[in-house]
Amino acid sequence: MGGTKIELVALDGSGKEIFRKRVPTPQADYDATVGAVVSLVGNAENELKAKATIGIGIPGALSRVTGLVKNANSTCLIGHDLKGDLEKSLGREVRIANDANCFALSEAVDGAGKGAEVVFGVILGTGVGAGIVVRGEVLTGPNAIAGEWGHNPLPLPRKEDLPLPDCYCGRKGCIEAYLSGPALQRDPDMDRYEERLARALAGVINILDPDVIVLGGGISNVPRLYANVPVLWGPFIFSDQVATRLAPPVHGDSSGVRGAAWLWER
Ligand SMILES: [Zn+2]
């Protein structure tokens, strides 16, 4: 589920895509959004004459305390029992995860992070988020915010990083406010963007020490990032050498939906 479109893919037992359909997201209408998901599933199952397990990536998270949606930039979802409502309508268990977590899972299972122990999957798009996969399992955390580095402050702000920009979350100087697509449009100097991305990812490497960092979202299509950023991050990392790889996604735009499917047994 995204803010502008809802896409469904059906995968067979070997992970091969056998059905795909995309519909616009009903705007600011929770009931219609649930209805759109239910009819997409109905379409696919009629077409394929099979019943499926269902995984869904959402631009938000389910609170570990209440089970209700939180931190969603599709704000009509916030505070709703999306999992319960979908399960009632679809008559089965539904698994839901943050969309960046689904991206990271897809790339960890059979994408750029295949075979790696720890994968940090980054979304550089309208927003900046990330997911962490350890030995094939998504790390969620007790607050359901594992990987949400986009709302950490950008480390070591320099003259050109000031004044600290406002972020929609209410804080100032968030990584997202420098590295999102809209932020890059406001300040389109790629040298500066790469240097900021290197500083921000160095902080991740010092804490998590991932084998692979996979970039996703629109900005991941810029090839020079993969050569330049790993050169720039060295001075900020507490290690004599850095074995962490920075990689483009293997599954591109499809990683979110594929990762949602992988919330079930593989
Ligand atoms: Zn923020």
Side-chain angles (χ1 to χ4, degrees):
M1 294 174 60
T4 57
K5 63 179 194 296
I6 302 173
E7 185 166 53
L8 177 147
V9 300
L11 305 181
D12 69 10
S14 69
K16 198 168 111 253
E17 186 181 314
I18 51 174
F19 181 89
R20 172 181 290 252
K21 190 168 178 187
R22 177 186 278 199
V23 297
T25 305
Q27 291 304 301
D29 186 338
Y30 174 75
D31 291 333
T33 301
V34 170
V37 173
V38 171
S39 62
L40 269 176
V41 171
N43 274 181
E45 293 189 330
N46 283 338
E47 189 89 9
L48 298 168
K49 301 191 172 37
K51 197 171 176 194
T53 55
I54 301 170
I56 302 181
I58 64 167
L62 298 187
S63 163
R64 297 286 286 260
V65 179
T66 63
L68 308 181
V69 177
K70 67 172 191 176
N71 292 358
N73 53 18
S74 294
T75 51
C76 77
L77 302 178
I78 292 175
H80 283 283
D81 183 11
L82 180 63
K83 182 173 157 69
D85 292 338
L86 285 169
E87 288 179 344
K88 239 174 278 159
S89 299
L90 292 164
R92 75 198 88 165
E93 185 191 347
V94 171
R95 296 190 180 167
I96 293 179
N98 172 263
D99 49 9
N101 290 2
C102 292
F103 168 76
L105 183 58
S106 169
E107 291 295 331
V109 169
D110 60 356
K114 188 179 177 185
E117 193 174 8
V118 178
V119 176
F120 191 70
V122 172
I123 303 287
L124 298 173
T126 312
V128 173
I132 301 168
V133 175
V134 180
R135 297 186 194 101
E137 296 292 329
V138 171
L139 191 69
T140 306
N143 305 301
I145 57 168
E148 288 292 0
W149 73 315
H151 299 279
N152 275 1
L154 183 74
L156 291 175
R158 297 175 172 189
K159 208 164 62 231
E160 64 267 26
D161 302 329
L162 301 173
L164 298 178
D166 289 323
C167 183
Y168 81 89
C169 74
R171 297 170 186 83
K172 276 180 187 297
C174 287
I175 285 170
E176 174 168 309
Y178 293 99
L179 297 182
S180 68
L184 178 59
Q185 276 171 354
R186 280 193 303 274
D187 182 6
D189 180 333
M190 274 314 287
D191 292 336
R192 215 156 33 228
Y193 185 90
E194 286 167 346
E195 203 278 329
R196 288 167 174 161
L197 179 58
R199 262 186 278 157
L201 290 177
V204 171
I205 295 170
N206 281 339
I207 292 170
L208 187 64
D209 202 0
D211 300 270
V212 186
I213 297 175
V214 189
L215 300 184
I219 300 171
S220 70
N221 296 320
V222 179
R224 55 178 277 178
L225 295 178
Y226 303 96
N228 295 345
V229 172
V231 175
L232 294 166
W233 69 26
F236 303 102
I237 296 171
F238 185 56
S239 177
D240 54 347
Q241 47 77 43
V242 183
T244 300
R245 288 190 292 121
L246 184 69
V250 167
H251 300 294
D253 283 350
S254 298
S255 256
V257 275
R258 295 177 79 268
W262 294 141
L263 295 173
W264 290 85
E265 312 309 321
R266 303 183 284 281

